[in-house]
Amino acid sequence: MSRSMKAWTRKTYGPADGVALEHTSMPVPRRGEVLLRVRATALNAGDVRLLLGDPLLVRPVFGLTRPKHPVRGMEVAGTVVALGADVVGAEVGEEVVGELVGGGGLGEYVRVPAARLVPIPTDIAADAAACLPVAGGTAWQALDLAGVGLADGGHAAGGAPRVLIIGASGGVGTFAVQLATLRGAEVWATCRDRNAPLIEQLGAVRTFDHRESPLSTLADGRFDAIIDIAGGMPLRELKRLVVPGGTVVLVTGDGGHVLGPVPRMLRAVFLSIGSRSIRPLAATPRPEVLAKLLDLVAEGRIVPVIEREYPFAEASAALSRLEAGHTVGKLVVAGTAV
Ligand SMILES: NC(=O)c1ccc[n+]([C@@H]2O[C@H](COP(=O)([O-])OP(=O)(O)OC[C@H]3O[C@@H](n4cnc5c(N)ncnc54)[C@H](OP(=O)(O)O)[C@@H]3O)[C@@H](O)[C@H]2O)c1
């Protein structure tokens, strides 16, 4: 095994067109970590934020003047090629998937805590598995927080809970629609008209184009829960749309250049006084959820929606595509080991 590898790197904050393919030293797995040869990496809205260092609030954690982690890619599927000390439950040669909080998936190899990884069932392709940890995991945790499909998840008397997914056509949204449907909800969704057939195929019974049919025209208390993945709508409006006892979950990371979503999330705390709550989500890596998502994919009950898969040599084009916005589902970059 050579001691150097190729990785798509950006050493300063800035747009995707400044990412370059560089030779860098091969990571060495530390205690409790494994070394993966990357087979597929899926991109997320968070990759663009961390490329740009925007909002500024992320910089104290992810690098004050330059990125601490210059290689993006937070969802990775790969083959275990080496074990660090004290690794239990992982074997060389195993195909696994997991979340890399700091990134690193756009390199040929990456080191990952073994406890974060889940084996990929043999009938699931690496590109499909790579879509699950962040996008699928966030959708799952948002529905949990909203009480959708949980034993104690209250909803309007009689019938299925009605759930509105705002921003249904992206990475998180395409999973949220499918998972809410699986959990027995009646799903309404917002997306551009051109994406409505896909979102309905994934389970939504009704779709709105957010630019032409503003949600402000809907009557009070139409939904048991709202999952807001897009932002942009006043919190009081969102709150008005849920029933007493209903919950609005804020997933979006959008906001101002300095503090990002934080002011909106603080307002949510004040507006949550009363019977309708607005709850910001901070999703975390959850291997047990990832294992359930893999089972659902293996059973054909959910399908990762992939707009396009790029070869490793075109990873910079994939990041530029993500930065341009309006992607449908996920963008995936294949590893060099495919
Ligand atoms: N809270 C957490 O823990 C957590 C975890 C993961 C992700 N996130 C955040 O979740 C958001 C979505 O992530 P993602 O990876 O799914 O991004 P994405 O793939 O870019 O999806 C964003 C979606 O929002 C839609 N959208 C944008 N503006 C809209 C509007 N005004 N009304 C309705 N829909 C609108 C987009 O559709 P069009 O642009 O085509 O209209 C797209 O479907 C990001 O802000 C990300 O930072 C948060």
Side-chain angles (χ1 to χ4, degrees):
M1 197 184 298
S2 117
R3 286 168 168 253
S4 83
M5 67 165 194
K6 286 181 278 179
W8 286 94
T9 305
R10 202 185 201 301
K11 291 184 177 145
T12 54
Y13 286 120
D17 61 7
V19 173
L21 188 58
E22 295 191 355
H23 285 272
T24 175
S25 41
M26 175 96 85
V28 176
R30 299 178 186 166
R31 183 177 298 272
E33 292 181 340
V34 303
L35 183 67
L36 294 188
R37 174 139 197 174
V38 177
R39 296 190 60 220
T41 295
L43 303 180
N44 287 278
D47 284 308
V48 170
R49 282 182 213 296
L50 292 176
L51 268 183
L52 296 170
D54 187 333
L56 296 177
L57 183 73
V58 302
R59 297 196 186 195
V61 177
F62 288 95
L64 215 47
T65 56
R66 58 182 58 214
K68 269 189 211 165
H69 307 285
V71 180
R72 299 288 356 118
M74 300 186 288
E75 297 177 292
V76 68
T79 311
V80 177
V81 293
L83 306 178
D86 299 335
V87 167
V88 279
E91 287 170 23
V92 169
E94 202 174 9
E95 301 295 330
V96 293
V97 60
E99 178 172 347
L100 312 169
V101 174
L106 293 180
E108 288 183 286
Y109 296 85
V110 69
R111 60 181 175 84
V112 192
R116 287 271 165 81
L117 295 168
V118 176
I120 304 175
T122 46
D123 45 358
I124 299 181
D127 58 351
C131 297
L132 299 173
V134 177
T138 299
W140 183 287
Q141 291 176 56
L143 293 167
D144 280 357
L145 192 58
V148 176
L150 297 178
D152 62 349
H155 56 79
R162 185 181 291 145
V163 177
L164 174 66
I165 314 277
I166 302 178
S169 59
V172 177
T174 46
F175 283 113
V177 170
Q178 296 181 76
L179 291 170
T181 304
L182 263 184
R183 290 179 183 209
E186 176 191 308
V187 176
W188 294 28
T190 73
C191 61
R192 285 165 194 259
D193 273 346
R194 66 172 185 237
N195 297 323
L198 168 71
I199 299 307
E200 285 163 17
Q201 196 190 323
L202 297 179
V205 297
R206 192 146 169 203
T207 53
F208 305 84
D209 188 320
H210 46 276
R211 297 157 308 157
E212 282 156 27
S213 310
L215 295 171
S216 53
T217 57
L218 293 175
D220 291 3
R222 294 301 295 267
F223 302 102
D224 297 284
I226 297 178
I227 310 295
D228 180 13
I229 301 167
M233 201 171 154
L235 293 178
R236 282 184 193 283
E237 272 293 297
L238 293 176
K239 188 175 172 187
R240 178 186 75 73
L241 289 173
V242 289
V243 295
T247 305
V248 177
V249 172
L250 303 180
V251 176
T252 175
D254 284 347
H257 174 54
V258 178
L259 293 176
V262 172
R264 194 164 190 257
M265 292 182 171
L266 289 177
R267 278 199 304 282
V269 174
F270 289 110
L271 282 171
S272 285
I273 297 162
S275 67
R276 299 169 172 91
S277 62
I278 309 181
R279 307 179 74 176
L281 175 73
T284 52
R286 296 267 302 274
E288 78 285 6
V289 168
L290 179 53
K292 288 180 189 159
L293 291 165
L294 284 161
D295 285 346
L296 291 175
V297 174
E299 291 160 10
R301 299 172 76 196
I302 61 169
V303 183
V305 175
I306 299 177
E307 178 184 291
R308 185 169 165 194
E309 181 161 349
Y310 293 75
F312 185 74
E314 292 173 25
S316 142
L319 285 166
S320 293
R321 170 71 193 96
L322 184 72
E323 191 177 58
H326 312 305
T327 46
V328 177
K330 302 286 291 175
L331 301 177
V332 178
V333 177
T336 54
V338 174

